[in-house]
Amino acid sequence: MRFSLVGIMLLLFTSSKAQDLSKLYETVRPSVVVIFTEEKKLEKLGATVQMVSSQSLGSGFLISDTEILTAAHVVDVAEQLLVQFSDGEIIEAKVISAFKSSDIALIALTTPKKNAVIATLGDSDKSKVGERVVVVGAPFGLTHSLSSGYISSFIKNTSDKNPFTNAEYIQTDAAINTGNSGGPMFNLEGKVIGIVSHIKTVTGGFQGIGFAATSNIAKKLLLDKKILWTGAEVVPLSGESAKMLNVPQNDALLVQRVVSNSPYGKMGLRGGIIEAIIEGRTLLLGGDIILAVNGIRFEFTDETLTKLGDFANTLKPGDPVVLEILRDGKVISLKN
């Protein structure tokens, strides 16, 4: 059997790259974790509808012996978090900060991980289209699975002054499936340049278009600022939607779900109990509607959102918070 020189070189190159990925995987694997969550969801049980517990899982990675980065949608409304490490140890955790717009979150272990292997955050701005990347996570519960691909593109929206609309994603063709969310995207130097977020799909399965929030947006919003997590899932109300629900102002936030042991949960904020479709959106109705926070009335303008962002940036644990809400047709205040 005869091989061309090009064929031999290609074979050696492919073998070398496979070995490189194998070594990379063995190095970074201990820094990757599986996150088991329990949250409350509205579910139909025969003729009745009630809140029931629902279990799910995602991925994440250690950035210290107590802190883990993951995706916001994995943990944002979780009543309980359990983190499993590659050695099998399980430690409870709590949410510290989360940004839905960027789909990133910071959680903290209740006790430090002994002999922790820490992932290194890279500079995602130095990454380029065409670079090889590796994703490690728990697709469909298959823990510490590796997939690889290339950077396909970048999507950035970081020009706004307020942090609630900031987003920055790396598009990739590396396979991403349910359970990968929150896991790290590594470059070939073994540095994390992305946090796995979501996929674009028609069938519901992976079709070669996945997205990861950049490491730099995570540094900016979670590590440099650390805006406190509220524990409430909310959706904006404006225009006709606000009028239909008799909101006494143009814009507000409709509360969907509230984590019982979160800051807003402890204040007594209530989530929705009735599922309905309004203007094409499936919403939970019957919960509180937030009108203002510490005197800052909700208006979906850059000026107001910037004020809210500035307030959130300076808020410390234990600082006074006053929510003005609409409940059962009456405007009341909730205080921490």
Side-chain angles (χ1 to χ4, degrees), residues 16-47:
S16 173
K17 284 298 180 184
Q19 290 176 3
D20 288 345
L21 290 186
S22 180
K23 290 178 182 178
L24 173 62
Y25 174 74
E26 291 302 323
T27 300
V28 303
R29 180 177 181 271
S31 68
V32 182
V33 302
V34 182
I35 302 172
F36 297 94
T37 67
E38 180 178 309
E39 58 186 58
K40 300 293 184 182
K41 288 186 177 180
L42 200 65
E43 191 171 293
K44 290 183 180 180
L45 299 174

Side-chain angles (χ1 to χ4, degrees), residues 38-42 51-54 77-79 233 257-260 284:
E38 180 178 309
E39 58 186 58
K40 300 293 184 182
K41 288 186 177 180
L42 200 65
M51 297 298 282
V52 299
S53 293
S54 175
V77 289
E79 295 283 343
E233 179 186 11
R257 291 183 290 172
V258 184
V259 178
S260 57
L284 291 179

Side-chain angles (χ1 to χ4, degrees), residues 2-303:
R2 300 176 62 185
F3 290 95
S4 69
L5 180 59
V6 173
I8 293 173
M9 291 179 66
L10 182 60
L11 185 64
L12 291 173
F13 176 78
T14 303
S15 176
S16 173
K17 284 298 180 184
Q19 290 176 3
D20 288 345
L21 290 186
S22 180
K23 290 178 182 178
L24 173 62
Y25 174 74
E26 291 302 323
T27 300
V28 303
R29 180 177 181 271
S31 68
V32 182
V33 302
V34 182
I35 302 172
F36 297 94
T37 67
E38 180 178 309
E39 58 186 58
K40 300 293 184 182
K41 288 186 177 180
L42 200 65
E43 191 171 293
K44 290 183 180 180
L45 299 174
T48 63
V49 178
Q50 62 185 49
M51 297 298 282
V52 299
S53 293
S54 175
Q55 284 76 39
S56 189
L57 63 82
S59 304
F61 58 96
L62 279 164
I63 58 169
S64 75
D65 63 352
T66 58
E67 293 181 315
I68 291 168
L69 289 180
T70 185
H73 75 267
V74 172
V75 301
D76 198 25
V77 289
E79 295 283 343
Q80 184 180 36
L81 298 176
L82 294 175
V83 176
Q84 184 178 49
F85 298 88
S86 60
D87 61 6
E89 183 179 8
I90 296 176
I91 301 177
E92 193 171 356
K94 61 182 180 180
V95 183
I96 301 299
S97 185
F99 282 85
K100 189 174 182 179
S101 61
S102 300
D103 198 20
I104 50 176
L106 175 69
I107 66 175
L109 301 172
T110 54
T111 58
K113 169 61 179 169
K114 294 181 180 178
N115 303 315
V117 176
I118 310 303
T120 301
L121 286 176
D123 183 353
S124 53
D125 285 344
K126 292 182 179 179
S127 301
K128 297 179 180 179
V129 171
E131 283 187 17
R132 188 89 177 260
V133 291
V134 169
V135 170
V136 182
F140 300 109
L142 301 171
T143 63
H144 295 86
S145 295
L146 176 146
S147 62
S148 67
Y150 297 88
I151 294 176
S152 305
S153 184
F154 293 91
I155 300 173
K156 297 185 179 183
N157 178 28
T158 56
S159 58
D160 294 344
K161 293 182 179 179
N162 75 80
F164 305 111
T165 56
N166 279 190
E168 192 172 87
Y169 293 100
I170 297 172
Q171 181 187 330
T172 182
D173 64 351
I176 293 171
N177 289 287
T178 301
N180 274 120
S181 294
M185 172 188 283
F186 295 99
N187 61 20
L188 292 187
E189 295 178 356
K191 295 181 179 180
V192 178
I193 57 170
I195 302 171
V196 174
S197 175
H198 62 283
I199 61 174
K200 191 174 182 65
T201 178
V202 176
T203 64
F206 180 68
Q207 293 183 283
I209 303 177
F211 299 91
T214 67
S215 57
N216 283 6
I217 199 74
K219 290 177 189 175
K220 175 184 175 182
L221 297 181
L222 296 178
L223 305 184
D224 296 341
K225 296 184 178 181
K226 278 193 179 179
I227 292 179
L228 297 180
W229 171 67
T230 64
E233 179 186 11
V234 298
V235 295
L237 287 177
S238 188
E240 290 301 316
S241 297
K243 290 179 181 178
M244 290 174 64
L245 296 176
N246 296 317
V247 177
Q249 59 191 51
N250 292 329
D251 304 312
L253 296 177
L254 176 64
V255 181
Q256 299 294 278
R257 291 183 290 172
V258 184
V259 178
S260 57
N261 199 37
S262 67
Y264 277 9
K266 292 177 180 178
M267 291 173 66
L269 193 68
R270 299 177 184 174
I273 54 173
I274 302 171
E275 191 174 274
I277 298 176
I278 298 179
E279 294 186 326
R281 294 189 297 175
T282 301
L283 302 174
L284 291 179
L285 305 183
D288 295 330
I289 297 175
I290 303 175
L291 305 175
V293 178
N294 277 34
I296 305 173
R297 195 156 299 279
F298 276 100
E299 293 179 354
F300 298 131
T301 63
D302 286 342
E303 181 181 358

